[in-house]
Amino acid sequence: EPEVTQTPSHQVTQMGQEVILRCVPISNHLYFYWYRQILGQKVEFLVSFYNNEISEKSEIFDDQFSVERPDGSNFTLKIRSTKLEDSAMYFCASLRDISYEQYFGPGTRLTVT
Amino acid sequence: AQSVAQPEDQVNVAEGNPLTVKCTYSVSGNPYLFWYVQYPNRGLQFLLKYITGDNLVKGSYGFEAEFNKSQTSFHLKKPSALVSDSALYFCAVSLKAAGNKLTFGGGTRVLVKP
């Protein structure tokens, strides 16, 4: 069964550093998403991406965040200058069509020190 | 704005007994409703969804859920719980008009005791 993959599984970085989280969505999916889950809290929407552009973003997704689908397979989330409060589990998800369910990757645990 | 409430942080049930996990939602429009399950150190796994049609939907691992529009609820049920059902369960809602972004409830931890 096809699945969403994410790398790395765990990333440790120092405050102020740039990080790139990578995702490979399911190949015939058209919609792509990033969510995050701070430890002990609910899963929160960050951004959705369709037709090579951002379709919606939350207030969390400020100028420090960006997304890209550079080569038609990878979908990346970049945090330009990480803060302590960016420490969380980041989930990538993809969706084939609006009447279907989103498939989630296993997540990348980001720890900012 | 859309929101989801899961009123119970934890549900304890004995193996073999029925399991219910509650979810209520608030949206402006016709909702798409989902249940996901999260095992320790794992991603979110899809269980079932309501898009349209029959209010009772059946999903993976013997789970089912009933969409109740008047009560804006989408409770998850399983007739006979297994120890392996112990996990964190999330209810989520989306709207077609909102690009299908998912809004999640806070999660309910289910503990099934042998």
Side-chain angles (χ1 to χ4, degrees), chain B residues 76-95:
Chain B
L76 180 71
K77 298 183 181 183
K78 186 170 183 179
S80 179
L82 301 172
V83 172
S84 57
D85 293 329
S86 298
L88 188 56
Y89 290 80
F90 290 97
C91 181
V93 67
S94 74
L95 281 176

Side-chain angles (χ1 to χ4, degrees), chain A residues 33 35 37 56 98 101-102, chain B residues 36 49 98-102:
Chain A
Y33 305 83
Y35 295 84
Q37 184 182 30
E56 187 174 357
I98 55 175
E101 61 275 11
Q102 292 182 26
Chain B
Y36 284 84
K49 67 178 184 282
N100 280 67
K101 70 172 183 183
L102 289 172

Side-chain angles (χ1 to χ4, degrees), chain B residues 29-84:
Chain B
N30 293 320
Y32 294 171
L33 293 156
F34 303 84
W35 276 100
Y36 284 84
V37 61
Q38 185 180 34
Y39 296 98
N41 300 315
R42 301 284 297 277
L44 297 163
Q45 295 180 33
F46 169 75
L47 276 181
L48 50 78
K49 67 178 184 282
Y50 171 82
I51 301 294
T52 187
D54 195 350
N55 288 346
L56 182 65
V57 292
K58 295 187 183 294
S60 309
Y61 313 119
F63 284 95
E64 60 187 32
E66 185 165 12
F67 170 61
N68 187 318
K69 188 172 184 178
S70 63
Q71 296 185 4
T72 62
S73 67
F74 190 58
H75 302 329
L76 180 71
K77 298 183 181 183
K78 186 170 183 179
S80 179
L82 301 172
V83 172
S84 57

Side-chain angles (χ1 to χ4, degrees), chain A residues 25-91:
Chain A
I26 295 173
S27 62
N28 63 346
H29 285 195
L30 301 176
Y31 301 80
F32 312 105
Y33 305 83
W34 284 101
Y35 295 84
R36 79 172 186 190
Q37 184 182 30
I38 295 172
L39 189 63
Q41 298 185 24
K42 66 171 65 176
V43 178
E44 301 173 288
F45 167 77
L46 290 178
V47 66
S48 58
F49 192 85
Y50 171 71
N51 202 24
N52 278 320
E53 61 182 23
I54 291 174
S55 46
E56 187 174 357
K57 57 185 181 180
S58 71
E59 62 268 18
I60 303 168
F61 195 89
D62 61 22
D63 292 345
Q64 293 301 310
F65 290 87
S66 62
V67 289
E68 200 175 39
R69 189 161 156 80
D71 55 11
S73 61
N74 291 285
F75 180 50
T76 61
L77 174 69
K78 182 193 289 186
I79 309 175
R80 220 176 318 275
S81 177
T82 50
K83 304 173 191 150
L84 294 176
E85 54 265 36
D86 294 328
S87 295
M89 181 73 91
Y90 288 80
F91 293 108

